[in-house]
C-alpha cells in the first residue's frame, strides 16, 4: 500500500531505488530532487518524491524518498532494494 492506498508493484531486486509510475496520485507527491539512471536500455530521468509510507504485508517503511518516473516513462511501479533494506 502506498500512503494507505492499495497499489500494484513489481518486486525488482535489480532496482536500487523504488520507482513509482507517474499518475494522478503520484503527481501530488512533493518533488524533493532529481535522479538520473543509465542502463542497458539507455538513460532515464526521474523525480525524487517523499512518501509517508509504503507497505507490503507486514513489511512497512515510513517517510521514504522514492523515484517517480516522468509521464510515459514506465508502465509499472517497482519495489527496489531500498524498500527491502529499510523495512521495519
Amino acid at each position: 500500500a502506498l500512503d494507505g492506498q492499495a497499489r500494484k508493484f513489481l518486486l525488482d531486486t535489480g532496482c536500487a531505488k523504488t520507482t513509482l509510475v507517474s499518475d494522478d496520485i503520484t503527481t501530488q507527491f512533493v518533488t524533493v530532487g532529481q535522479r538520473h539512471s543509465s542502463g542497458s536500455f539507455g538513460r532515464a530521468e526521474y523525480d525524487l518524491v517523499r512518501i509517508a509510507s509504503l507497505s507490503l504485508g507486514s513489511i512497512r517503511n515510513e517517510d521514504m524518498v522514492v523515484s517517480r518516473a516522468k509521464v510515459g516513462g514506465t508502465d509499472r511501479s517497482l519495489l527496489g532494494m531500498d524498500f527491502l533494506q529499510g523495512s521495519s
Side-chain angles (χ1 to χ4, degrees):
L2 175 62
D3 284 356
Q5 296 182 343
R7 302 285 289 206
K8 289 186 178 184
F9 283 85
L10 175 68
L11 176 61
D12 185 349
T13 58
C15 178
K17 190 151 207 63
T18 296
T19 302
L20 306 175
V21 297
S22 182
D23 62 20
D24 291 343
I25 294 171
T26 64
T27 55
Q28 296 177 31
F29 297 133
V30 175
T31 302
V32 297
Q34 298 268 317
R35 176 176 171 259
H36 301 278
S37 174
S38 296
S40 300
F41 300 106
R43 184 169 168 82
E45 184 177 308
Y46 302 91
D47 293 324
L48 295 175
V49 297
R50 185 172 303 280
I51 59 173
S53 66
L54 183 59
S55 60
L56 174 65
S58 63
I59 302 172
R60 181 179 176 87
N61 282 331
E62 295 183 350
D63 192 33
M64 285 184 72
V65 173
V66 301
S67 296
R68 179 183 58 215
K70 300 290 185 179
V71 173
T74 184
D75 62 350
R76 65 191 63 167
S77 293
L78 305 174
L79 279 179
M81 292 304 294
D82 60 335
F83 174 74
L84 297 175
Q85 292 171 342
S87 62
S88 56

